Amino acid sequence: MLSDIEITYFRSRIDDVLQSGRPTDWQRSFLVDMRGKIERYGTRTRLSEKQLATLKRLTAVKGDADLRLITNTEYVQPQQPQRLTWQKPRRRRPLRYREIKFTVFAVMMIVCGVGYAVTEGLRIFGLGNFETASAASSQFQNSDFSVTDGDTIRMRDGTPVRLVGYNTPEKFEPRCSREAALGNQASERLRQLVAAGKSTVTRIACSCKPGTEGTSKCNYGRSCGYLRVDGRDVGQTLISEGLAVPFICGATGCPPTPRPWCG
């Protein structure tokens, strides 16, 4: 199982690699799968030795290749022997290399944790754009919309909006009966979430090639955005309930759409 420090570290580094790095299709698929496991199981996440080694290698911080995760270890301050009042005080020994290394690692984990918390806070409250860093997000002029399926809505003015960050089973063109059933469940669950709280739709730039925004070559002509109910991204809820999987795009393109429901 992973510790709280490892959970915070891997969450932050996976997001950094997916958004700013240049992973291969296989590496992207692996990181997205690991991100989904960590989000779903937290400190109960179980990884094989090979999976953990691969995850560490793909999320390693450049310039600090010798720094490795230290788990289930704590430095215990040795108890100083009680000295008599007439004894000369001993000089404090210098810090050892292992102690310095652990201190540097702990500071880095704290910085990563704070950065991740700030990033999540900005994303939750709609103050940041995490699909394309150069595009500014904005609220739709009218928040009235209808649910098309588990990851698509239609604004009152007719604008279709693809919700980013996750993918749900298809209910219109399913590959098997199981996907069709799950697709209908995801759509109904999204309607329940919307009906249970205050909804906010935030527009962001789609992950498309420059100049194709708004055309059929970019996300089938749909706009892109986040849908939050009472401040929580609906994608997080659907993923946690097994009705969706993570789907993270880059700045100008997306990996193959994950559809694991038909085996």
Side-chain angles (χ1 to χ4, degrees):
M1 294 185 183
L2 300 177
S3 66
D4 290 333
I5 290 179
E6 290 176 303
I7 292 297
T8 299
Y9 172 78
F10 285 134
R11 279 177 175 170
S12 177
R13 288 298 300 140
I14 289 174
D15 288 345
D16 288 344
V17 173
L18 290 176
Q19 295 174 16
S20 304
R22 295 182 178 179
T24 64
D25 290 343
W26 178 87
Q27 291 171 341
R28 180 180 293 276
S29 178
F30 175 81
L31 290 173
V32 168
D33 182 56
M34 292 298 101
R35 185 69 161 82
K37 284 186 177 181
I38 291 174
E39 284 293 334
R40 187 168 186 177
Y41 298 108
T43 55
R44 296 184 292 108
T45 303
R46 293 182 180 273
L47 302 179
S48 66
E49 292 184 1
K50 185 175 181 181
Q51 287 176 322
L52 184 57
T54 302
L55 184 57
K56 290 180 181 179
R57 176 173 58 83
L58 295 180
T59 58
V61 180
K62 293 183 179 180
D64 192 13
D66 291 334
L67 186 62
R68 293 175 172 85
L69 289 175
I70 302 173
T71 59
N72 298 327
T73 61
E74 293 182 358
Y75 173 72
V76 179
Q77 179 69 27
Q79 185 176 1
Q80 297 293 335
Q82 186 176 4
R83 62 181 179 86
L84 299 178
T85 56
W86 54 267
Q87 287 183 317
K88 183 178 179 180
R90 295 181 181 179
R91 295 183 62 184
R92 186 174 182 180
R93 65 174 178 80
L95 291 177
R96 297 176 180 175
Y97 171 74
R98 182 180 178 85
E99 297 168 10
I100 297 175
K101 185 176 179 180
F102 179 81
T103 302
V104 172
F105 175 77
V107 171
M108 189 184 75
M109 289 296 96
I110 292 173
V111 171
C112 290
V114 172
Y116 178 78
V118 172
T119 298
E120 282 295 297
L122 290 175
R123 187 177 68 79
I124 290 173
F125 290 102
L127 300 178
N129 184 347
F130 299 91
E131 286 292 312
T132 52
S134 61
S137 61
S138 61
Q139 302 294 331
F140 281 90
Q141 293 183 354
N142 194 306
S143 60
D144 292 340
F145 60 87
S146 59
V147 173
T148 302
D149 57 27
D151 53 31
T152 308
I153 61 175
R154 182 176 293 274
M155 307 305 295
R156 189 171 68 174
D157 63 4
T159 302
V161 179
R162 175 61 161 87
L163 304 178
V164 301
Y166 70 100
N167 188 58
T168 57
E170 295 292 336
K171 71 174 187 178
F172 296 111
E173 296 181 1
R175 293 178 180 175
C176 61
S177 58
R178 181 171 182 267
E179 182 175 15
L182 290 174
N184 286 319
Q185 291 181 32
S187 298
E188 182 59 30
R189 180 58 176 144
L190 182 57
R191 292 190 182 94
Q192 293 175 359
L193 293 172
V194 170
K198 181 180 179 181
S199 300
T200 302
V201 183
T202 304
R203 183 198 299 269
I204 67 169
C206 295
S207 300
C208 302
K209 294 181 179 180
T212 62
E213 185 87 16
T215 70
S216 59
K217 295 182 180 180
C218 176
N219 201 25
Y220 303 99
R222 297 174 296 183
S223 297
C224 296
Y226 289 109
L227 170 57
R228 299 179 178 86
V229 177
D230 293 336
R232 178 178 174 82
D233 192 322
V234 296
Q236 297 178 7
T237 301
L238 294 177
I239 291 173
S240 68
E241 295 178 358
L243 296 175
V245 293
F247 184 34
I248 308 299
C249 294
T252 59
C254 296
T257 306
R259 297 178 65 178
W261 299 283
C262 294

